[in-house]
Amino acid sequence: MKAANHWWKTEVWLRKRYAEVCSDTKHDQRFNVLGYQWRVLRFNDVTRQSAVKVMAASKVSDPSSIYYMQQPHVLAVPYTKSMVSAGLTALLSSNYDLVNAVNGNKEIRVLCIGHGGGSLPLFIASKIQGAVIDIVEIDPLVISTSIQAMGFPPFSVAVPSGHHALSRPNTMDEVLWKGIHERLFLYESDAEKFIRNTENVYDIIFIDAYDGDDIFPWKLWDLDSPFLQALGSRLHPHHGTVVVNLHSDESISSVDQSILLNGSMFLVCAAHTWICWWVTKDPLLTKRGFGLPVGCLDQDSVLNVLFAKSHEVDRDLNMPFPCLQYLNR
């Protein structure tokens, strides 16, 4: 009941947003918040694929019209917090101008391979005003479920040409998302096909692409695969960063230091830890802005730089959780 006492604030916010979007309307549209609910996406009886917090609301004038809005500032699953913490901290450590991206003064291109409920791209888009995010999901059922049941913006669905499938967002998309939906492009596509065909150069890429059997496709991890070869050409050459989610029992012994693609940082977030590789024969981290001489490219030195920068990410993005805590995981 205590939480319900604060719903009126959201109802006031919805009323004001509707007035902003529909400034030409003569009547005052009011809303009822029906409640908040945690929703979980599962592909099997064991694995929780995604968990999101969803708000349901309706118009007072039309109680049968129910609108779902995923709460964009909420990351429910710890590993997604680790992915965001590791990726943004590495990007900032590479002298990337994250502050201007956060304020919307410059564009940051983000790619998310694997969609689930869409909490990670929504979080990035809501926290970084300059973020333009491509999302690649191979399963159309995941896309439709994220929109219909998990409150992901419907307008985000995109077509191969790079445009949104709808010519313009509907009124409630505008009310609920206030421009966030226009910076999300959700593609139904195979990851390898997408990365080989796109001409975009990405500042940061998140890969979280387990299939219905909870298996990470080997073609997304094989160093000789066309996917990884193409991925290197689609990363920014100076600060491009890739973050991969792997389960803690995933075999990563075959991955070596050549995982660095065109001078870009490749971070791996497992269920309990994440690992960073770099090329010791090249003053790569000095060029990336870590400020470490070649002889000091040991893991502890790199981690210390990332840990120190984590506080800046907390401050610049007003993070709802401390990055350092999830880097320490």
Side-chain angles (χ1 to χ4, degrees):
M1 290 301 296
K2 183 179 179 180
N5 291 335
H6 296 281
W7 292 356
W8 68 270
K9 295 180 180 180
T10 303
E11 292 171 350
V12 170
W13 173 77
L14 287 169
R15 181 180 172 186
K16 290 181 177 178
R17 281 291 304 142
Y18 193 89
E20 291 174 6
V21 173
C22 304
S23 58
D24 57 336
T25 58
K26 297 180 179 179
H27 62 280
D28 184 15
Q29 185 61 256
R30 297 173 183 268
F31 292 84
N32 282 330
V33 172
L34 305 178
Y36 293 81
Q37 186 180 62
W38 290 101
R39 295 190 171 184
V40 177
L41 177 65
R42 295 184 185 274
F43 293 158
N44 52 53
D45 295 332
V46 179
T47 307
R48 181 178 62 175
Q49 204 70 22
S50 181
V52 302
K53 186 177 183 180
V54 179
M55 178 193 73
S58 65
K59 295 178 181 177
V60 171
S61 61
D62 184 9
S64 64
S65 62
I66 299 178
Y67 306 97
Y68 295 118
M69 179 188 184
Q70 187 177 141
Q71 300 303 281
H73 297 303
V74 177
L75 288 178
V77 185
Y79 85 81
T80 57
K81 296 179 182 179
S82 292
M83 292 183 75
V84 168
S85 299
L88 295 182
T89 303
L91 201 60
L92 187 62
S93 300
S94 305
N95 284 339
Y96 181 79
D97 186 2
L98 188 58
V99 172
N100 272 321
V102 169
N103 295 332
N105 296 325
K106 66 175 295 184
E107 182 180 278
I108 175 173
R109 293 302 302 240
V110 182
L111 173 63
C112 295
I113 296 177
H115 179 55
S119 61
L120 193 150
L122 259 185
F123 182 87
I124 296 292
S126 65
K127 285 292 185 181
I128 305 178
Q129 295 182 41
V132 177
I133 305 177
D134 292 336
I135 310 154
V136 179
E137 173 56 53
I138 196 171
D139 190 340
L141 183 58
V142 171
I143 293 176
S144 61
T145 300
S146 73
I147 292 171
Q148 295 171 17
M150 307 190 83
F152 198 80
F155 183 70
S156 63
V157 175
V159 294
S161 65
H163 299 92
H164 288 110
L166 300 175
S167 59
R168 58 174 298 172
N170 62 38
T171 299
M172 286 309 297
D173 264 347
E174 295 276 20
V175 170
L176 294 172
W177 297 110
K178 198 176 182 179
I180 289 177
H181 56 302
E182 296 175 345
R183 296 185 281 110
L184 295 166
F185 295 81
L186 175 53
Y187 296 90
E188 178 189 333
S189 177
D190 173 78
E192 180 182 317
K193 179 180 179 181
F194 180 88
I195 204 69
R196 295 180 73 178
N197 290 333
T198 186
E199 296 182 356
N200 294 330
V201 175
Y202 295 99
D203 301 295
I204 187 166
I205 297 176
F206 296 94
I207 304 177
D208 185 13
Y210 283 84
D211 62 20
D213 296 319
D214 204 31
I215 296 173
F216 190 89
W218 176 242
K219 73 174 185 177
L220 301 185
W221 198 231
D222 181 4
L223 295 177
D224 298 320
S225 70
F227 170 76
L228 277 188
Q229 297 302 315
L231 192 71
S233 65
R234 306 277 35 105
L235 277 168
H236 193 283
H238 300 302
H239 57 252
T241 300
V242 180
V243 184
V244 183
N245 171 47
L246 289 178
H247 290 178
S248 57
D249 58 351
E250 201 81 40
S251 174
I252 57 173
S253 59
S254 62
V255 181
D256 60 26
Q257 292 176 346
S258 62
I259 201 69
L260 273 157
L261 306 172
N262 288 359
S264 301
M265 184 67 75
F266 204 113
L267 301 173
V268 180
C269 293
H272 301 293
T273 187
W274 61 270
I275 302 165
C276 169
W277 285 277
W278 58 88
V279 178
T280 56
K281 295 180 181 179
D282 187 345
L284 177 64
L285 297 185
T286 301
K287 290 190 294 185
R288 287 180 55 88
F290 278 68
L292 297 173
V294 178
C296 296
L297 298 186
D298 60 280
Q299 181 169 310
D300 287 342
S301 298
V302 174
L303 292 180
N304 286 337
V305 173
L306 295 177
F307 289 161
K309 287 292 184 179
S310 69
H311 301 294
E312 295 184 37
V313 175
D314 292 347
R315 179 197 65 207
D316 295 341
L317 277 76
N318 190 24
M319 295 288 276
F321 52 84
C323 286
L324 182 59
Q325 175 183 340
Y326 290 91
L327 289 175
N328 273 323
R329 290 172 62 86

